[in-house]
Amino acid sequence: DQQVKQNSPSLSVQEGRISILNCDYTNSMFDYFLWYKKYPAEGPTFLISISSIKDKNEDGRFTVFLNKSAKHLSLHIVPSQPGDSAVYFCAASVGPGGSEKLVFGKGMKLTVNP
Amino acid sequence: DGGITQSPKYLFRKEGQNVTLSCEQNLNHDAMYWYRQDPGQGLRLIYYSQIVNDFQKGDIAEGYSVSREKKESFPLTVTSAQKNPTAFYLCASSIQSLGSGELFFGEGSRLTVL
């Protein structure tokens, strides 16, 4: 049973436009969410996170939105750049005192076309 | 520069052989993790260690073993008991045990069983 779902395996957008990557989760105990970016043959790098006490977190071109009632989060990239082309993983965890494990989605491949 | 170093980057193994993947970090992080990535799959946790001389099984520990004799090092042995060892292996560390800390990943080791 997959607790973190990224239902779309890929997304293609034009440079300068908005990229929206979606993630759904089933475990209501999750209270911390992270996005990682991964280039081929490299390890993932941390991109942005959000705690369940917030519904939005922004860092430059990247914004993550959290809808707790829908158990849904999304990553917005504006404007998209060709260097953003990578696989993006959504991940979730239970806060201190809970699970020690970070649960990852399957990833979504973003392609930004020049 | 601080970071996580995995070696070797590529490794070929014959069936029935054990192989050990190295992971070293100089970030002074307490917690270290091993993940496995297969095509179209999210990252799955193999083992993790929160402190020296202690480690716990993750979701897919069967056929793997680890040790944590030093804070900086967390080697993973893929044994002959692992049925499908061909995969991309990622080592990670965090300042504290999750769930509110981000993971720092190495560049990965690709193991191919011939």
Side-chain angles (χ1 to χ4, degrees):
Chain A
D1 181 32
Q2 214 180 345
Q3 298 185 70
V4 177
K5 302 177 184 179
Q6 294 178 261
N7 293 320
S8 299
S10 63
L11 174 68
S12 183
V13 300
Q14 285 299 119
E15 181 178 6
R17 305 294 293 267
I18 185 172
S19 295
I20 300 177
L21 291 73
N22 294 306
C23 179
D24 297 292
Y25 62 96
T26 57
N27 188 345
S28 57
M29 297 296 290
F30 286 145
D31 59 0
Y32 195 72
F33 305 88
L34 306 91
W35 285 94
Y36 284 83
K37 174 180 178 179
K38 184 182 181 300
Y39 293 116
E42 294 184 9
T45 55
F46 170 76
L47 192 57
I48 193 169
S49 64
I50 188 167
S51 165
S52 61
I53 62 174
K54 295 184 177 181
D55 54 20
K56 176 183 173 181
N57 189 26
E58 192 172 350
D59 184 2
R61 295 185 298 114
F62 303 91
T63 303
V64 57
F65 295 92
L66 176 63
N67 183 334
K68 290 185 288 293
S69 60
K71 295 192 181 70
H72 176 84
L73 66 155
S74 60
L75 174 67
H76 293 212
I77 307 174
V78 182
S80 301
Q81 299 174 353
D84 296 328
S85 297
V87 175
Y88 289 79
F89 289 97
C90 172
S93 69
V94 180
S99 169
E100 299 296 337
K101 294 179 284 187
L102 194 61
V103 181
F104 286 85
K106 290 187 176 183
M108 169 191 264
K109 183 177 181 180
L110 173 66
T111 302
V112 180
N113 300 303
Chain B
D1 281 0
I4 299 178
T5 302
Q6 288 186 240
S7 63
K9 197 172 179 72
Y10 298 95
L11 185 63
F12 296 89
R13 184 194 98 178
K14 292 182 180 178
E15 279 194 36
Q17 288 181 336
N18 291 356
V19 62
T20 297
L21 307 179
S22 170
C23 178
E24 303 280 331
Q25 56 102 355
N26 60 5
L27 299 168
N28 200 33
H29 286 173
D30 290 313
M32 297 187 74
Y33 310 80
W34 274 104
Y35 287 87
R36 168 180 172 144
Q37 186 191 12
D38 295 284
Q41 297 289 325
L43 306 181
R44 293 183 291 167
L45 183 66
I46 304 173
Y47 267 98
Y48 64 102
S49 168
Q50 297 168 278
I51 197 169
V52 175
N53 292 323
D54 187 49
F55 48 82
Q56 285 79 39
K57 292 181 179 180
D59 299 315
I60 55 166
E62 185 175 353
Y64 299 98
S65 66
V66 293
S67 62
R68 186 84 186 280
E69 297 176 2
K70 297 186 298 181
K71 187 176 184 178
E72 309 80 40
S73 179
F74 191 42
L76 173 74
T77 297
V78 184
T79 75
S80 56
Q82 168 50 232
K83 301 299 181 190
N84 297 293
T86 295
F88 189 56
Y89 291 89
L90 287 160
C91 179
S93 69
S94 66
I95 295 173
Q96 61 185 11
S97 302
L98 296 173
S100 55
E102 67 184 73
L103 290 173
F104 293 81
F105 285 89
E107 293 198 337
S109 294
R110 182 165 297 282
L111 172 63
T112 302
V113 174
L114 304 173

